[in-house]
Amino acid sequence: MTTQSVSSVGPLRRVPVQGRSVARVQRMLDACAELVDEVGYEALTTTLLAERAGVAIGSVYQFFPDKRAIVQALTLRNLDAYLQRLGSRFAEQSFGHWWEAVDSSIDEYIAMHREIPGFRTLHFGDVVDVHLLDAERDNNTIIAERLAGLLVDHLGAAAGPRLDFALGIAVEAADALIKLAFRRDPEGDPAVLAEAKALIREYLHRHVNTITERS
Amino acid sequence: MTTQSVSSVGPLRRVPVQGRSVARVQRMLDACAELVDEVGYEALTTTLLAERAGVAIGSVYQFFPDKRAIVQALTLRNLDAYLQRLGSRFAEQSFGHWWEAVDSSIDEYIAMHREIPGFRTLHFGDVVDVHLLDAERDNNTIIAERLAGLLVDHLGAAAGPRLDFALGIAVEAADALIKLAFRRDPEGDPAVLAEAKALIREYLHRHVNTITERS
DNA sequence: GCACAATGCGAATATGCCTCACTTTGGGCT
DNA sequence: AGCCCAAAGTGAGGCATATTCGCATTGTGC
């Protein structure tokens, strides 16, 4: 990844230049993730964050304009990580059917809920900001477009507004159901997760013509 | 409605007894709704709220334990209103097919987005609390159960966990898509709204056996 | 019209976000 | 090695906002 990822700029007041400060900013984000898991977003205080990161409060504001921006930056880091994972998976694996690719995308999202601290609370911007990546479109819409791109590149789907629309709907519904699954069960209610996948597959199946024919 | 509705207790510190205070509490909730629309939930301050309601700040805390509780109470009032509307509609109208009833439920939800101040921001607890009605289950899950009850009573659907589960999924997905529609367009993106209804109808259609046969 | 509970009030306090003036450190340069 | 300046680090204090509390006012049953 030689190109600068979106999360390294994001909502930062000033970009850390020296190695120590880069590491520090990461520590702050890590602390933020931990604390969101421990006390929740509401109870997160800047003092607590600074203590946990082993940093003076002033240092936090050296790089972040305000509290919200810290959480935004964390969300962006997670968003990047997801797209990264997805990119790798599509590059390595070759899918027999388009729905295997969709299933993989869902699986990666589920995995992040289990593995990434704070993710089950923040997701892709729930609490803080649904317009981190683009002023016009929701984060999920962007995700859907990226997904569309991957499907076009790796499975020969026909790019176009109808594919984007269908994926936008699918991503939004899947997102909601997966969140539900993790609210019902810390490890993700298996019944709900299975149903989510089934629902998405059947929905997209009805749009399979849209996917394989040019609009 | 002779029974005391849930929203009249809710997260109140003390229940208003005299007429003037009942009206005042309503004014506070109205002010809260207006302000949430005008400045957003984040920028809502207690001072602003008190001013808008024409009430001293101390009076607010006479009935509400904290700021969050105000928004919770408003959300509860909206939740009640929705169930009320739905109850009336099911009582007056007789549906030819179960999906007409489902469509009506969705339409009422959409109507509230357009009519009720603050609703497009708060929905049924997004920002404040998804467990207003029940410590265990999400607000949407409760809605789904009520909906199941209506379908059982008015259309002879077979009550049971499978109906509850399917409706839980349907409500969650529909909710997410309708929110999306209203984020894309203040009046609700028609394409997204139509697609939401279609998706839900088709999903429930595949569970129609579950609806009409006893599990 | 008395007595007490309910209600109303807002200055004072508590808490938490964020700034700023100052110190320390890193690394490019000679 | 030593100099210099930008980058980074610091934390007491200013400021905005949430919440309390002691006292004033009003409603209601008797």
Side-chain angles (χ1 to χ4, degrees):
Chain A
M1 307 307 124
T2 51
T3 50
Q4 174 158 292
S5 79
V6 62
S7 71
S8 45
V9 195
L12 289 183
R13 163 178 281 175
R14 198 159 60 71
V15 179
V17 176
Q18 302 176 1
R20 58 174 171 164
S21 56
V22 175
R24 262 161 160 251
V25 167
Q26 292 305 316
R27 283 227 311 283
M28 294 178 205
L29 294 183
D30 293 341
C32 181
E34 282 176 29
L35 288 171
V36 160
D37 267 347
E38 286 172 29
V39 306
Y41 174 73
E42 293 279 312
L44 176 71
T45 68
T46 53
T47 319
L48 204 55
L49 178 83
E51 277 172 6
R52 178 63 63 93
V55 157
I57 184 60
S59 297
V60 174
Y61 286 90
Q62 197 71 220
F63 301 100
F64 299 103
D66 53 34
K67 188 173 97 165
R68 152 171 293 230
I70 306 167
V71 184
Q72 286 180 335
L74 177 58
T75 304
L76 270 179
R77 190 172 78 168
N78 291 342
L79 238 157
D80 261 13
Y82 177 69
L83 292 175
Q84 209 71 211
R85 278 164 171 250
L86 223 54
S88 312
R89 190 136 169 188
F90 272 71
E92 291 166 7
Q93 200 170 340
S94 88
F95 301 103
H97 304 276
W98 59 263
W99 55 260
E100 287 177 3
V102 171
D103 247 41
S104 287
S105 308
I106 296 179
D107 282 335
E108 285 297 344
Y109 188 58
I110 294 172
M112 287 189 70
H113 275 80
R114 296 186 177 133
E115 296 166 16
I116 311 291
F119 193 74
R120 65 185 65 211
T121 304
L122 302 179
H123 307 104
F124 285 148
D126 276 18
V127 227
V128 277
D129 195 354
V130 291
H131 292 123
L132 283 176
L133 297 165
D134 187 293
E136 286 295 310
R137 294 159 302 170
D138 291 357
N139 298 343
N140 274 349
T141 303
I142 307 287
I143 294 274
E145 286 176 13
R146 299 286 186 105
L147 217 50
L150 288 172
L151 290 178
V152 169
D153 290 349
H154 292 263
L155 289 144
R162 295 176 62 186
L163 177 62
D164 287 347
F165 180 80
L167 279 177
I169 298 285
V171 166
E172 200 67 34
D175 184 33
L177 293 177
I178 291 165
K179 284 177 196 165
L180 174 66
F182 279 89
R183 259 179 278 136
R184 290 205 178 159
D185 175 345
E187 285 305 304
D189 183 326
V192 176
L193 290 177
E195 197 73 351
K197 285 189 184 181
L199 185 145
I200 295 308
R201 187 184 304 182
E202 306 233 21
Y203 169 73
L204 288 178
H205 182 69
R206 274 178 276 121
H207 290 261
V208 90
N209 292 334
T210 303
I211 292 175
T212 53
E213 289 171 12
R214 197 158 298 272
S215 57
Chain B
M1 304 307 124
T2 51
T3 49
Q4 174 158 293
S5 79
V6 63
S7 71
S8 45
V9 195
L12 288 183
R13 164 179 282 174
R14 199 159 59 69
V15 178
V17 176
Q18 303 175 359
R20 56 173 172 163
S21 55
V22 176
R24 265 165 156 251
V25 167
Q26 291 305 316
R27 282 228 310 283
M28 294 178 205
L29 294 184
D30 293 340
C32 181
E34 283 176 28
L35 288 171
V36 160
D37 267 347
E38 287 172 29
V39 305
Y41 174 73
E42 294 277 313
L44 177 71
T45 68
T46 54
T47 319
L48 205 56
L49 178 84
E51 276 172 6
R52 177 64 62 95
V55 156
I57 184 60
S59 298
V60 175
Y61 286 91
Q62 198 70 221
F63 301 100
F64 299 102
D66 54 34
K67 189 173 96 163
R68 150 171 294 231
I70 306 167
V71 183
Q72 286 181 333
L74 176 59
T75 304
L76 270 179
R77 191 173 77 168
N78 291 342
L79 238 157
D80 260 12
Y82 177 69
L83 292 174
Q84 210 70 212
R85 277 163 171 252
L86 223 55
S88 311
R89 188 137 172 187
F90 271 72
E92 291 166 7
Q93 199 171 343
S94 88
F95 301 103
H97 304 276
W98 60 263
W99 54 261
E100 288 177 2
V102 171
D103 247 39
S104 287
S105 309
I106 295 179
D107 282 334
E108 285 296 346
Y109 188 58
I110 293 172
M112 288 189 69
H113 274 79
R114 297 183 176 136
E115 296 167 17
I116 310 293
F119 193 73
R120 66 185 64 212
T121 305
L122 301 179
H123 307 104
F124 286 149
D126 276 18
V127 225
V128 277
D129 194 354
V130 291
H131 292 123
L132 284 175
L133 298 165
D134 188 294
E136 286 294 309
R137 292 160 303 170
D138 289 357
N139 298 343
N140 274 348
T141 303
I142 306 287
I143 295 273
E145 286 176 13
R146 298 288 186 104
L147 218 52
L150 288 172
L151 290 178
V152 169
D153 292 348
H154 292 263
L155 289 144
R162 294 175 63 186
L163 178 62
D164 287 347
F165 180 79
L167 279 176
I169 297 286
V171 166
E172 200 67 34
D175 184 33
L177 293 176
I178 292 165
K179 284 177 195 163
L180 174 66
F182 279 88
R183 258 179 278 135
R184 290 205 178 160
D185 176 346
E187 285 304 304
D189 183 326
V192 175
L193 290 177
E195 196 75 351
K197 284 189 184 180
L199 184 147
I200 294 308
R201 186 185 303 182
E202 306 232 21
Y203 169 72
L204 287 178
H205 182 69
R206 275 178 274 123
H207 290 261
V208 89
N209 292 335
T210 305
I211 292 175
T212 54
E213 290 170 10
R214 197 158 297 276
S215 58

